[in-house]
Amino acid sequence: MDKKAKKRLDVINKKLQTLRSQLAGSRAQADDADELKQLEDEIAKLESESAEIKSSK
């Protein structure tokens, strides 16, 4: 894996950690269903990109 891919993977992991905590907070309050869907979609997108980068070693 090259340096650029490692850096992108690091950025994705940090973003995922933040999004997951936001999702947990959003589920606890459950004010806005659209926000839940948006956070879940963003997490799925980033996990997919992460898996793609890991598989292209």
Side-chain angles (χ1 to χ4, degrees), residues 13-41:
N13 287 332
K14 286 180 184 177
K15 211 177 257 191
L16 277 171
Q17 186 177 19
T18 303
L19 286 172
R20 286 184 179 129
S21 66
Q22 285 179 348
L23 181 62
S26 184
R27 281 188 177 147
Q29 279 191 312
D31 291 342
D32 189 9
D34 291 336
E35 184 182 17
L36 269 175
K37 180 69 173 147
Q38 182 184 17
L39 289 170
E40 289 171 345
D41 290 345

